[in-house]
Amino acid sequence: MSQKIQAIRGMNDILPQQTPYWQKLEAILRQLMASYGYNEIRMPIVEKTSLFKRAVGEVTDIVEKEMYTFDDRNGDSLSLRPEGTASCVRAGIEHGLLYNQEQRLWYMGPMFRHERPQKGRYRQFHQLGVETFGIATPDVDAELILMTARLWKALGINDSVRLEINSLGSNEVRAEYRDALVAFLTPIKDQLDEDSQKRLQTNPLRILDSKNPQTQELVADAPKLVDYLDQESKEHFARLCQILDANGIEYQVNQNLVRGLDYYNRTVFEWITDKLGAQGTICAGGRYDGLTEQLGGHATTASGFAMGIERIVSLMEELAPIEISDADVYMVALGDAAEINAMQLAEILRDEMPSLRIRANFAGGNFKKQFKKADKSGAKVALVLGEQEVNDQTVGIKFLREHKEQLLVSQSEITQQLKQILEI
Ligand code: ATP
Ligand code: MG
């Protein structure tokens, strides 16, 4: 036997036992996006490396150490996308979708980051991304939060997630605050964790969300961003809170909530769960008014979020399990004529009940073997055909999950009967 080839670490196969969760989530997401009037956009998985450097930021974890970057055959540096916002803005500028207009967009697909694989953290993972352009007011920030809150309810996981929000203020405010933070932390630099020491030069705001306990203690006494906020950002934030309150959305203001990417300003938010261990953020976003200009477009306000599909699927598996089966109906047939009749009948049922999942037994076997397969399929009923049934144009209905007498009905009535039995 030759050696087995295995998948790349951190890049997962999604197996038939899991796809029902993905399909359910994807179907609900499409419906949700439509119900808020958002349109789908699909971007390539590969972009020029310079796009991510410019959009995400040179000194972020993503660009410094997590990107899958390679030279293509022409010698251009390309990268597998680590996130979608950069590509979405690039596409929007390129196709004239952003200037002087409003857009509400969403996309879903794989992202790639070379991180240490662990539960909830993979090298190929999937995100739903939602981006709005040209709407400066906080109502759209609130709408993004409302739609996610609605999603948790639809998935049955709303009791296990909480919302944190914060305002990062204007870019000027952040620059001013950054200086104050650096001035406060520099004299005590030696007491910070190693990562935070590095970030003091490159991305000091990230020190605020360091997970290191000693750093957290030191940061507790640091100047607060909220004391630097400009009047307009304060009003923006107050209005956001007002809309959330009016809609009964609970939240916690976390003054240390900053996002890992460079491009955010004003509103930032995260949905967090305590049920997944360390990888608890399932959705994160905020406002990024400066990004379009930074990528060479006209200045356009923007706001959006990204959601980690794998983490949400994990939550669904734990909190809202789906009963998984291969079929609703299993066709059992004994003898040549019965086998042909069973396949015809199955086709008729598929014409009349397109949502019904029908599996047919092939390759023969006695009744006992066939019923064993029928049972394993998870089907609720087996439709049974033998020589007698073919001659009489009848079909047996055997209940596989309930103690009920087997029925014998005319083949012409089978659709009606099944609709009643399966409640469709
Ligand atoms: P984290 O703090 O978990 O590293 P992040 O700030 O890097 O998250 P974003 O870039 O904001 O994450 O991505 C949005 C969401 O995508 C995250 O909240 C998470 O649910 C999901 N996500 C990010 N990286 C991964 C990954 N490597 N594997 C699985 N899901 C991920
Ligand atoms: Mg990360």
Side-chain angles (χ1 to χ4, degrees):
M1 229 196 299
S2 49
Q3 213 180 2
K4 272 188 278 183
I5 299 176
Q6 291 189 318
I8 297 164
R9 215 161 88 82
M11 303 204 178
N12 298 317
D13 299 306
I14 300 160
L15 300 175
Q17 282 295 313
Q18 294 166 312
T19 46
Y21 289 93
W22 286 72
Q23 288 172 349
K24 178 175 178 183
L25 176 55
E26 286 162 6
I28 290 177
L29 285 174
R30 279 173 212 285
Q31 163 70 43
L32 181 76
M33 290 303 118
S35 77
Y36 283 84
Y38 284 59
N39 297 324
E40 186 181 6
I41 181 169
R42 301 186 185 194
M43 298 87 63
I45 283 171
V46 183
E47 299 268 1
K48 289 186 182 148
T49 303
S50 53
L51 172 68
F52 301 115
K53 282 197 177 162
R54 240 209 273 174
V56 177
E58 294 259 12
V59 293
T60 53
D61 285 352
I62 290 183
V63 169
E64 276 185 340
K65 43 189 189 204
E66 296 175 1
M67 276 210 296
Y68 281 90
T69 297
F70 59 96
D71 288 343
D72 82 351
R73 289 172 194 272
N74 306 327
D76 298 327
S77 179
L78 307 181
S79 294
L80 300 187
R81 63 181 187 192
E83 55 106 58
T85 304
S87 311
C88 186
V89 172
R90 194 265 313 135
I93 296 171
E94 196 167 325
H95 301 287
L97 303 181
L98 307 186
Y99 182 51
N100 234 349
Q101 55 194 306
E102 285 182 10
Q103 288 290 349
R104 292 170 170 82
L105 304 174
W106 67 273
Y107 49 83
M108 192 158 33
M111 307 293 162
F112 303 84
R113 296 184 195 174
H114 196 275
E115 305 198 67
R116 194 169 68 78
Q118 52 196 292
K119 184 175 157 52
R121 195 176 290 290
Y122 310 104
R123 290 180 172 173
Q124 174 174 336
F125 63 100
H126 297 73
Q127 284 184 341
L128 166 83
V130 177
E131 322 282 359
T132 77
F133 298 96
I135 309 163
T137 45
D139 38 14
V140 79
D141 303 358
E143 179 172 89
L144 295 173
I145 290 173
L146 288 173
M147 69 165 66
T148 43
R150 181 176 292 277
L151 174 66
W152 314 140
K153 273 203 193 125
L155 296 174
I157 60 174
N158 50 310
D159 287 342
S160 302
V161 297
R162 62 191 161 80
L163 174 65
E164 292 189 357
I165 60 176
N166 193 22
S167 176
L168 301 180
S170 65
N171 289 340
E172 298 77 50
V173 160
R174 268 199 306 164
E176 204 184 317
Y177 174 68
R178 194 184 154 112
D179 292 345
L181 187 64
V182 172
F184 173 85
L185 291 174
T186 304
I188 48 172
K189 185 179 171 192
D190 298 343
Q191 298 167 55
L192 297 173
D193 62 272
E194 204 182 318
D195 264 353
S196 295
Q197 290 193 15
K198 271 191 237 147
R199 285 184 173 139
L200 198 52
Q201 261 96 54
T202 56
N203 198 350
L205 259 64
R206 279 307 300 279
I207 299 173
L208 295 178
D209 73 353
S210 162
K211 303 288 179 279
N212 179 286
Q214 197 186 330
T215 301
Q216 278 177 347
E217 241 172 72
L218 294 169
V219 158
D221 299 327
K224 292 275 172 282
L225 185 59
V226 63
D227 298 325
Y228 288 73
L229 283 190
D230 52 296
Q231 191 55 30
E232 260 186 85
S233 293
K234 271 189 201 162
E235 282 165 18
H236 188 102
F237 193 64
R239 181 80 181 153
L240 168 68
C241 294
Q242 198 187 3
I243 300 172
L244 295 180
D245 291 338
N247 283 283
I249 304 286
E250 284 175 35
Y251 55 85
Q252 241 181 324
V253 178
N254 174 359
Q255 291 180 356
N256 290 335
L257 181 67
V258 292
R259 302 282 309 122
L261 317 185
D262 265 0
Y263 48 59
Y264 289 102
N265 66 295
R266 286 204 178 146
T267 310
V268 286
F269 68 88
E270 282 192 9
W271 285 98
I272 302 160
T273 179
D274 299 323
K275 301 260 188 251
L276 297 178
Q279 270 56 254
T281 303
I282 55 171
C283 175
R287 187 160 273 286
Y288 52 96
D289 296 327
L291 183 61
T292 314
E293 212 175 1
Q294 199 176 308
L295 291 180
H298 296 280
T300 309
T301 58
S303 189
F305 66 76
M307 187 179 280
I309 301 288
E310 279 81 356
R311 294 184 192 177
I312 294 167
V313 165
S314 291
L315 268 188
M316 290 166 73
E317 284 173 333
E318 192 175 318
L319 302 173
I322 299 175
E323 224 179 275
I324 291 171
S325 64
D326 299 326
D328 304 309
V329 170
Y330 195 96
M331 309 295 299
V332 165
L334 202 63
D336 285 347
E339 278 176 10
I340 290 178
N341 193 174
M343 284 186 78
Q344 286 173 312
L345 197 57
E347 286 304 305
I348 292 170
L349 288 173
R350 291 187 184 107
D351 285 341
E352 292 177 355
M353 290 188 274
S355 66
L356 195 66
R357 297 171 308 149
I358 309 170
R359 218 178 231 204
N361 182 68
F362 290 138
N366 59 25
F367 270 138
K368 195 171 164 213
K369 269 195 188 146
Q370 294 194 40
F371 280 123
K372 217 168 160 185
K373 286 203 236 169
D375 196 45
K376 207 173 153 219
S377 77
K380 292 199 180 70
V381 296
L383 299 188
V384 190
L385 289 142
E387 206 178 329
Q388 190 67 47
E389 284 80 6
V390 177
N391 289 338
D392 301 346
Q393 282 300 289
T394 55
V395 53
I397 304 176
K398 185 175 160 69
F399 294 88
L400 299 170
R401 314 284 148 208
E402 299 164 272
H403 286 290
K404 262 198 203 169
E405 198 82 5
Q406 182 164 331
L407 303 176
L408 188 69
V409 303
S410 153
Q411 290 191 15
S412 61
E413 284 166 19
I414 186 66
T415 307
Q416 232 15 68
Q417 290 282 349
L418 280 180
K419 277 190 177 158
Q420 265 180 23
I421 291 169
L422 300 171
E423 291 166 0
I424 26 183

